[in-house]
Amino acid sequence: MNRIILVGKPNSGKSLLFNQLTGLRQKVANFPGVTVELKTGQFADYEVVDFPGAYSLKTLSKDEEIAIEKLHAAMQDEKTTVIACILDATRLERSLTFGLQVQALAKKQNKALVFVLNMVDELQSFDHHIDEKQLSEQLGSPVYAISAKTLLGINELKDGLKHIASHAHDYLPLKGTDSSLDVLKQSRDLAQQFAIQADLVLKKQNRIDSFLLNSVFGGLAFLVIMFLLFQSIFTWAAPIMDAVEFAIGWLAQKITTSMEPGILPDFINGALFGGLGSFLVFVPQIMVLTLVIGLLEDSGYLARAALICHKPLSYFGLSGRSFIPYLSGHACAIPAILSARTIESPRKRLITMMTIPLMSCSARLPVYALLIAVLIPEKSYLGGLVNLQGIAFFALYMFGILMALMVSLVVNKFKANDDKLDDMPFILELPAYRLPHWKPLFQKVLNSGKHFVRRAAPIIFMVTIAIWILGYFPQSDEGLQASWLGQLGQWIEPVFEPLGLDWRYGIAIIMSFLAREVFVGALGTLFGIEGADENISGLAANIQADGLTFGAGMGLLLFYVVALQCVATVATLKAETGSRKIAWGLFVAYGLLAYLLAFVTVRLF
Amino acid sequence: MTLWDMATKQTGRIVDLSQELGTHISRRLREMGFEEGQLITCIRRSPLQGPLVVQIRDSVYSLEQSVARNIKLQII
Ligand SMILES: Nc1nc2c(ncn2[C@@H]2O[C@H](COP(=O)(O)OP(=O)(O)O)[C@@H](O)[C@H]2O)c(=O)[nH]1
C-alpha cells in the first residue's frame, strides 16, 4: 500500500488530523529503549504514518535521532508518495522552520510535499485570513488551509491528498534550501507577510497563565487538579473495576458449574479467572487514568504542571516531566513507565523509570488495607475529620514517594559521570490552551488498555500457571500446606523468621510476586477463610488473634511499599530501558532494601 | 546581562548565545526563535529560582537557569 506521512511541530494538531483522516483502526509501533512511537492508520487506499512532533531535523537526543532516522528511511522508501507537513497557523513562523527543512529533504528525495495549514478556525475568530494561494506560490508547494477541529476544508484536503498521491511527480517541491540560516530567514519573512500578530494570539494564553502559574493561586490550582486526578483513579474507576470483577466471577461460575469437578474446573477457576482476572481488573483504572492525563495534555495544562514541578524535582536529579509518570505510578507502574517517554533528558528518564516502582500502585491497596486493619486501631479525632487508619494510608504513600526521591538522589550521584546519558536542559514550549477533542483521546484510552494487556498478560499468565501448579499438587486433605508451594514455604521459613513472620506469610509473599494483591487471598486461604478479598475484617481479626506482632506487621507493610513484586513491571522496565541488567538489578535491589527495612522495623518496635 | 537576569515584563534584544551551550543546543534554540537580534519578553519568574517564562516571536517558552544564563541580551 502506498504511504502518506504526517510530520509537523508539536501541538500543531497532528494527532487530531491523523484521527480525522484515518478511522478507528490504528497500529502503534514502538522502538525499545527510546520514546519513538509511530502510529499507522488507513486513509482511502493509503497507509498514513504519524511521525512524532519535532522542532527540527537536526537532532539533540538519541530519541530524536531515531525518529528522524525513521523519517529519512520513510522518505527514501519507494512506497512513500506524499509528505504532508502540518503547520500551526497561529504559530506560522515556528511551524515553517521545521516545515522548510522537511521541504528541502523532500526535494532532495524527490517526494511530493503538501503543507496543511491547520487551526484556521482560530485565525477566523481573530478575523485574520491567510491567503493560501499566495503562500503556496511563495513556498513552491501546495497549501491546504483547514481546521482539524471544525473540519473546515477537510474535504478539499482529502481530495487533494488523493490527487497528489496519484500524480506525485507533479508535486515535487520546486523550492527548498538546505542552509539553516536561510530557513530561519525565510520563515521569518513569510511570517511577516502572512502570520497573525503574535500578541493577539498569545494574549489569552498569557492571561490564563497569569492565574495558573501564579505563585499562590497557581500552586493551589495545581494541588486541586492533582487531587481530582488522584480521586479519579480511585473513585471514578472503582465502579468499573467492580463491574469487571463481577463479570469475571460470573463468567467463571457459568463455565465451571457445567463441568464435572476435577482439575480442569479448578484450573479454570484458580489460574485463569483467579490470576488473570485479578489483573484485568486494573485495565479500567489504567484507562481512566489515561483519559484524565490525556485531557490535561491536550488542553495544554501538562506543560504548566511540568514547569511548576521542575525546580522542586530538580533537587533530586529529576525533571518537571517526571511528575506525571510518578503520579500515574499510583495506579499502575506499567503505564507510568511508558509515560516516562516524555522526559527530555535520557538520564532523568532513566532515574524516573527506575524509581516508579516505589509509588504505591493500586495492587498494594488491598495489602495495605488488610495490614492496617490488623495493626492500627480504628480511631477518629476532631469529630471524624482525622482518622488514624486514614493517616496510616497516607503515610505509606508518602513513604513510597520519599523512598523514590531518596533513590533518585543516590542514583543521580552514581551516574554523575556517565557520558552516554548526556543531559538535556529543560526547554519547554507552553502551548495554547485548547479544548481537547474526543477522538484522539478515545484512541489514546483504547490503546492504553490494549497496550497494558499485551505487555503484562503473557508474563502474568505464565507465572499464574506456575504458581497454581505449585499450590495445587500434590493433592491432599491438608490443602495448600501440603502442596509443593507449602513445602517450599516451610523450607524458606528461615528467610522470613528474622522478620518475625512464619511460613504462611512466606508463602503469601512468594505468591504475591505474581501480583501483590494475591497476598490477601493467599493469606486468607492459609487462615482457612474463603473469599478473604471481600472479607478483610474477618481475616484481620483472625490475624490479630493469631498474634502478629506490631513490629512484624509494620515491617511487612514497609516491605510491601518497597519490594518490586511484579513480574510485569520488571518486563516493562526491561523493554523500556533496553537493559535486562537494570530491570533485574532493580528487582533484587528493591527486594533486599525491603527486607532490610522490615528487618530493622521488627527490631525497633 | 543575560536572560536569567531579566525581570518580569522586561523586554530585551538577544545579543549572543554563549559557546557554553554547545553547537547543538544553540542551533535548536535558534530554530525555536532565540536568534541574535530578536526581541524577547520575560513574562514570568517562578519562585525559588525555578524556570522562567519568556515570549519570543510567536511562541512562549519556559527555560531553566542553566540555559537562560547563557543567552546574552541587551535591555531596551
Ligand atoms: N481550535 C482548534 N484546535 C485544534 C485544531 N487541531 C487540533 N486542535 C487542538 O489542539 C491541541 C493539540 O493538538 P494535537 O493533535 O494533540 O497536536 P499534536 O501535538 O501536533 O499531535 C488539541 O487540544 C487539539 O484538540 C484546530 O484545527 N483548531
Side-chain angles (χ1 to χ4, degrees):
Chain A
M1 204 178 340
N2 282 337
R3 195 182 294 140
I4 299 174
I5 57 186
L6 294 186
V7 293
K9 171 185 162 309
N11 297 306
S12 53
K14 203 161 50 64
S15 311
L16 185 54
L17 178 63
F18 175 76
N19 275 283
Q20 304 284 25
L21 285 180
T22 67
L24 277 180
R25 262 196 291 155
Q26 299 183 0
K27 274 193 309 207
V28 185
N30 286 298
F31 299 89
V34 286
T35 61
V36 183
E37 185 183 277
L38 296 185
K39 277 186 290 182
T40 317
Q42 197 179 340
F43 158 69
D45 297 329
Y46 302 96
E47 178 189 65
V48 183
V49 186
D50 183 14
F51 272 79
Y55 286 101
S56 167
L57 287 177
K58 307 275 169 33
T59 58
L60 277 188
S61 64
K62 180 166 161 253
D63 307 292
E64 289 184 357
E65 207 173 288
I66 288 175
I68 298 299
E69 239 172 55
K70 293 275 166 212
L71 182 62
H72 277 285
M75 286 261 203
Q76 280 168 7
D77 196 326
E78 264 177 39
K79 283 204 208 128
T80 305
T81 38
V82 184
I83 325 288
C85 181
I86 324 291
L87 307 173
D88 174 352
T90 64
R91 283 169 174 58
L92 192 60
E93 184 178 334
R94 283 291 65 75
S95 309
L96 279 172
T97 309
F98 181 57
L100 291 172
Q101 292 180 359
V102 172
Q103 190 185 33
L105 184 64
K107 184 180 172 211
K108 213 160 80 188
Q109 304 285 3
N110 277 317
K111 295 287 179 198
L113 179 112
V114 42
F115 286 107
V116 180
L117 188 66
N118 192 26
M119 313 260 184
V120 291
D121 59 311
E122 287 195 4
L123 285 194
Q124 282 177 347
S125 72
F126 291 113
D127 265 336
H128 185 87
H129 175 74
I130 292 182
D131 187 337
E132 56 211 81
K133 286 237 174 53
Q134 258 182 24
L135 182 59
S136 158
E137 248 163 56
Q138 301 219 8
L139 283 167
S141 290
V143 174
Y144 287 89
I146 67 152
S147 161
K149 186 177 174 188
T150 65
L151 296 179
L152 185 95
I154 200 90
N155 287 330
E156 289 82 347
L157 173 67
K158 284 181 175 172
D159 293 343
L161 280 177
K162 286 181 220 161
H163 176 77
I164 294 171
S166 50
H167 302 80
H169 276 288
D170 302 337
Y171 293 93
L172 306 181
L174 302 171
K175 300 188 179 171
T177 164
D178 245 350
S179 137
S180 55
L181 269 180
D182 284 354
V183 164
L184 290 176
K185 184 168 181 313
Q186 214 182 332
S187 8
R188 202 160 51 231
D189 291 347
L190 285 169
Q192 219 126 45
Q193 199 179 337
F194 292 99
I196 184 171
Q197 211 197 332
D199 285 332
L200 218 56
V201 179
L202 296 174
K203 201 163 130 201
K204 178 174 140 220
Q205 144 177 15
N206 285 340
R207 213 173 35 221
I208 302 177
D209 274 341
S210 68
F211 174 73
L212 285 179
L213 293 179
N214 178 293
S215 333
V216 182
F217 294 115
L220 272 176
F222 173 80
L223 290 179
V224 169
I225 289 171
M226 290 315 136
F227 177 76
L228 289 178
L229 200 164
F230 214 72
Q231 282 283 305
S232 73
I233 308 179
F234 293 106
T235 6
W236 300 359
I240 319 177
M241 291 169 84
D242 289 344
V244 170
E245 204 171 357
F246 179 79
I248 291 171
W250 180 82
L251 201 67
Q253 215 190 357
K254 263 272 180 261
I255 290 177
T256 47
T257 43
S258 59
M259 290 183 188
E260 296 279 307
I263 292 190
L264 192 63
D266 282 354
F267 175 77
I268 291 177
N269 235 332
L272 283 190
F273 287 105
L276 275 186
S278 68
F279 136 87
L280 284 181
V281 165
F282 293 104
V283 175
Q285 197 185 31
I286 284 160
M287 288 166 72
V288 168
L289 179 78
T290 311
L291 173 70
V292 180
I293 292 181
L295 276 172
L296 290 181
E297 184 178 0
D298 287 358
S299 66
Y301 185 73
L302 218 48
R304 277 76 182 182
L307 165 58
I308 291 173
C309 295
H310 182 71
K311 193 64 194 182
L313 285 174
S314 69
Y315 294 125
F316 300 95
L318 298 164
S319 156
R321 286 172 168 144
S322 310
F323 178 72
I324 286 301
Y326 268 14
L327 198 70
S328 344
H330 286 98
C332 174
I334 293 163
I337 291 169
L338 295 178
S339 70
R341 290 168 168 238
T342 53
I343 299 171
E344 72 288 349
S345 136
R347 156 208 197 84
K348 288 174 179 162
R349 183 180 335 128
L350 181 65
I351 299 180
T352 307
M353 289 195 291
M354 288 171 70
T355 46
I356 282 172
L358 290 167
M359 301 297 134
S360 292
C361 68
S362 41
R364 286 166 169 110
L365 250 175
V367 183
Y368 289 0
L370 172 68
L371 293 174
I372 285 178
V374 172
L375 301 170
I376 312 283
E378 212 190 324
K379 270 199 193 131
S380 294
Y381 302 95
L382 298 176
L385 209 62
V386 185
N387 175 291
L388 209 55
Q389 295 191 335
I391 293 176
F393 258 112
F394 183 73
L396 288 175
Y397 276 91
M398 282 297 129
F399 182 70
I401 296 171
L402 206 71
M403 288 304 290
L405 294 178
M406 290 302 126
V407 173
S408 303
L409 212 58
V410 173
V411 177
N412 196 37
K413 284 253 148 38
F414 257 109
K415 293 246 170 208
N417 303 318
D418 202 334
D419 274 344
K420 272 191 299 186
L421 302 173
D422 57 330
D423 212 8
M424 288 259 300
F426 183 78
I427 308 173
L428 182 71
E429 183 181 354
L430 298 184
Y433 288 102
R434 294 202 168 96
L435 219 56
H437 193 284
W438 66 271
K439 263 190 192 169
L441 270 177
F442 181 75
Q443 213 33 264
K444 241 187 252 184
V445 168
L446 216 63
N447 281 339
S448 72
K450 268 199 282 192
H451 231 82
F452 172 71
V453 172
R454 208 173 308 140
R455 252 167 209 276
I459 186 142
I460 293 217
F461 186 65
M462 283 190 300
V463 181
T464 312
I465 290 183
I467 288 188
W468 183 83
I469 291 175
L470 287 177
Y472 194 80
F473 296 107
Q475 288 225 292
S476 73
D477 294 336
E478 287 157 76
L480 198 51
Q481 187 172 353
S483 68
W484 287 325
L485 196 65
Q487 293 166 19
L488 190 72
Q490 276 153 16
W491 186 63
I492 55 147
E493 188 165 22
V495 177
F496 292 100
E497 216 207 314
L499 307 184
L501 302 169
D502 62 36
W503 65 273
R504 291 170 301 182
Y505 296 97
I507 294 188
I509 289 174
I510 292 178
M511 283 183 77
S512 62
F513 274 87
L514 153 66
R516 295 173 175 95
E517 70 279 7
V518 168
F519 178 82
V520 177
L523 214 56
T525 317
L526 288 163
F527 276 91
I529 295 186
E530 289 297 322
D533 287 321
E534 277 75 47
N535 188 9
I536 280 185
S537 54
L539 179 58
N542 258 323
I543 295 178
Q544 267 170 345
D546 192 61
L548 177 72
T549 67
F550 185 72
M554 286 309 275
L556 191 56
L557 265 176
L558 297 189
F559 182 91
Y560 267 90
V561 176
V562 174
L564 208 180
Q565 290 164 291
C566 177
V567 271
T569 302
V570 177
T572 309
L573 274 171
K574 198 184 110 212
E576 288 295 295
T577 58
S579 157
R580 189 189 303 259
K581 220 169 71 189
I582 292 180
W584 288 105
L586 279 178
F587 176 79
V588 173
Y590 285 143
L592 290 177
L593 184 62
Y595 189 88
L596 189 74
L597 274 171
F599 185 83
V600 172
T601 311
V602 179
R603 271 143 197 84
L604 278 184
F605 289 99
Chain B
M1 72 184 277
T2 73
L3 184 54
W4 188 248
D5 306 316
M6 267 180 134
T8 309
K9 299 241 164 72
Q10 250 180 347
T11 296
R13 191 177 291 282
I14 297 185
V15 180
D16 188 27
L17 304 188
S18 155
Q19 300 269 314
E20 261 173 58
L21 288 167
T23 49
H24 293 269
I25 290 175
S26 300
R27 182 170 58 208
R28 176 59 59 85
L29 282 171
R30 290 197 180 94
E31 284 165 344
M32 293 177 115
F34 297 83
E35 272 184 280
E36 287 82 348
Q38 298 304 326
L39 290 182
I40 186 166
T41 308
C42 175
I43 299 188
R44 177 160 301 281
R45 305 278 328 206
S46 342
L48 299 167
Q49 310 281 309
L52 86 167
V53 180
V54 296
Q55 178 180 334
I56 184 157
R57 315 289 302 171
D58 55 8
S59 300
V60 178
Y61 297 104
S62 164
L63 304 169
E64 66 180 340
Q65 186 180 10
S66 67
V67 185
R69 66 158 187 247
N70 282 314
I71 299 176
K72 302 210 177 67
L73 46 77
Q74 221 173 20
I75 294 295
I76 52 166

